[in-house]
Amino acid sequence: MDKPKVVLGVSGGIAAYKACELLRRLTESGHDVRVVPTESALHFVGAATWSALSGHPVSTEVWSDVHEVPHVRIGQEADLVVVAPATADMLAKAAHGLADDLLTNTLLTARCPVVLAPAMHTEMWEHPATRENVATLRRRGAVVIEPAVGRLTGVDTGKGRLPEPDEIFEMCRRVLARGAVAPDLAGRHVVVSAGGTREPLDPVRFLGNRSSGKQGYALARTAAARGARVTLIAANAGLPDPAGVDVVPVETAVQLREAVLKAAADADAVVMAAAVADFRPATYAAGKIKKKDGEDPEPITLVRNPDILAEISAERARPGQVVVGFAAETDDVLANGRTKLRRKGCDLLVVNEVGERKTFGSEENEAVVLGADGSETPVPYGPKEALAETVWDLVARRLG
Ligand code: CTP
């Protein structure tokens, strides 16, 4: 079988060096990668590096090998075009269809999925001109990855960093796996909660649970690869931030509720994959609770936490918002699932049977997705990503 053909566009930003690592990940995993840098990208990483790592000649302009019509052919033959880093200038050119070098020509002739990984200073990313260009590109079906937050060139920090090459690679893999299918969540905002809440007893102790966050992170990653703007409310997951996802870290159920309600205000869909503690300690000891010789420990009094899923289901922030819950059950899985779906008032409930092979922290999952419309979608034992894809299929169908 032919190797999938990937065009790696590199525009002129300091993060160009990270694209070398992305290139290696792509070639080592069996992709045929053609690197198309811009003239300014070569100020950061030279043509020899791109050529040696990709095994292909490298050109920035349309006047080399003219007999092969590279400005048309490279784009036409590609299975995926990924631009990393994409500068503000590159986004503007792509949004307006300019074609003054090989990369911009390639973007116009490509009919395959396009992934753009912007990297720039926060001010440039937040400028209305860039915002509008990004919105235009997303509307047309390009997957524009949200930049990461962190150290930028020089001493300043903020939003605008190129996500880690591994994360961009994962995104490329997912987009390629979907083939030429249009990103069906493009233009949508989805909110996913993940992980497990911790309810503090004192400065060093908490009541928690075993949720690893992996299912929620898989949901966030797959939604981003399908073009959605994703807000991931992450409760103590300790996993790397997925590329293209806005991560809001929280600790307790009360913080999770606040973050979910805020993000849900303009969301098309909310998926509550987090394991939320139903109860929290009634009091928080400001100092560490000490044991006292000869005395029994004080009992811990618990109070109810708000039921976030029931609340957002009852008070939809926008008409047509799709709300999805998760439930782990040990017995009478489907019957209990149906009852819970009605009680919570959500549109879909992913019911997991908790037991052997289906434990917290594993890479796999098996579930049935129950719909408020009476539908039942079984998802066989497999990677958490596969379950995530099924959830988004069902959500996308409901969003229309
Ligand atoms: N959930 C929530 N807020 C809570 C508890 C749970 O939003 N305080 C959400 C979870 O994110 C999950 C769903 O509700 O999507 C199912 O949670 P589960 O704990 O199974 O539901 P409970 O109502 O607590 O049912 P049970 O009696 O089985 O514990």
Side-chain angles (χ1 to χ4, degrees):
M1 241 174 69
D2 280 351
K3 290 179 174 181
K5 285 189 163 51
V6 176
V7 173
L8 171 58
V10 184
S11 53
I14 188 77
Y17 75 93
K18 289 194 190 171
C20 300
E21 187 54 35
L22 175 61
L23 172 56
R24 289 189 76 104
R25 292 295 313 262
L26 286 164
T27 51
E28 281 169 10
S29 54
H31 301 88
D32 179 19
V33 189
R34 177 89 196 226
V35 182
V36 184
T38 62
E39 197 58 43
S40 32
L42 296 185
H43 288 294
F44 296 95
V45 179
T49 303
W50 301 123
S51 182
L53 286 177
S54 69
H56 285 294
V58 165
S59 173
T60 62
E61 34 86 11
V62 297
W63 307 114
S64 321
D65 302 316
V66 177
H67 63 287
E68 289 180 1
V69 205
H71 74 287
V72 177
R73 196 176 44 80
I74 294 175
Q76 278 176 341
E77 288 179 358
D79 297 304
L80 174 77
V81 178
V82 51
V83 184
T87 58
D89 178 62
M90 179 50 59
L91 295 177
K93 284 180 171 156
H96 290 87
L98 299 188
D100 59 356
D101 64 2
L102 190 55
L103 179 53
T104 44
N105 273 274
T106 299
L107 284 168
L108 280 186
T109 50
R111 291 294 173 270
C112 59
V114 173
V115 173
L116 299 157
M120 62 197 73
H121 265 75
T122 314
E123 292 83 351
M124 298 172 94
W125 174 250
E126 288 175 350
H127 195 283
T130 308
R131 306 307 315 145
E132 279 174 32
N133 291 333
V134 168
T136 302
L137 290 161
R138 282 183 173 150
R139 209 168 39 247
R140 287 193 203 130
V143 175
V144 184
I145 302 181
E146 286 289 306
V149 177
R151 182 89 187 264
L152 304 170
T153 324
V155 291
D156 38 358
T157 60
K159 188 163 186 169
R161 254 173 87 89
L162 189 73
E164 290 310 309
D166 266 0
E167 288 296 330
I168 304 174
F169 169 72
E170 281 301 316
M171 172 71 88
C172 292
R173 210 173 52 74
R174 281 188 183 83
V175 173
L176 262 172
R178 287 181 59 75
V181 183
D184 56 354
L185 295 176
R188 303 290 189 181
H189 176 210
V190 305
V191 177
V192 177
S193 72
T197 59
R198 289 179 180 174
E199 308 299 325
L201 275 163
D202 68 16
V204 292
R205 302 182 181 96
F206 58 81
L207 301 182
N209 62 69
R210 287 167 173 277
S211 174
S212 67
K214 286 178 182 166
Q215 184 61 64
Y217 275 62
L219 281 154
R221 282 199 176 89
T222 46
R226 292 168 78 146
R229 177 163 75 83
V230 185
T231 308
L232 175 63
I233 317 292
N236 313 298
L239 297 170
D241 288 357
V245 168
D246 270 325
V247 182
V248 182
V250 295
E251 200 177 328
T252 66
V254 169
Q255 290 168 0
L256 187 107
R257 174 179 172 273
E258 249 174 58
V260 168
L261 291 185
K262 186 167 171 232
D266 71 343
D268 297 289
V270 183
V271 181
M272 286 291 298
V276 185
D278 288 320
F279 304 97
R280 66 177 182 276
T283 52
Y284 171 74
K288 189 180 165 196
I289 302 167
K290 305 289 277 183
K291 58 183 170 301
K292 298 190 188 95
D293 284 344
E295 278 182 35
D296 286 338
E298 290 288 323
I300 297 169
T301 310
L302 300 175
V303 293
R304 279 298 281 263
N305 269 331
D307 189 326
I308 308 161
L309 178 60
E311 185 176 346
I312 51 174
S313 299
E315 296 159 31
R316 310 274 167 144
R318 344 158 91 169
Q321 185 178 67
V322 180
V323 178
V324 185
F326 271 70
E329 302 288 343
T330 50
D331 315 288
D332 292 332
V333 178
L334 289 185
N336 281 334
R338 278 268 160 235
T339 310
K340 194 171 282 183
L341 176 71
R342 272 193 297 277
R343 183 157 51 81
K344 301 267 188 178
C346 49
D347 302 292
L348 294 163
L349 188 75
V350 184
V351 188
N352 288 297
E353 186 175 347
V354 197
E356 268 182 62
R357 280 207 318 173
K358 299 160 195 167
T359 44
F360 290 110
S362 93
E363 302 296 333
E364 275 88 24
N365 214 340
E366 178 180 357
V368 179
V369 188
L370 302 178
D373 55 1
S375 63
E376 237 169 65
T377 312
V379 184
Y381 185 73
K384 289 186 168 173
E385 266 179 32
L387 173 56
E389 296 284 9
T390 304
V391 169
W392 293 125
D393 288 345
L394 295 168
V395 169
R397 206 172 301 159
R398 278 159 182 77
L399 288 173

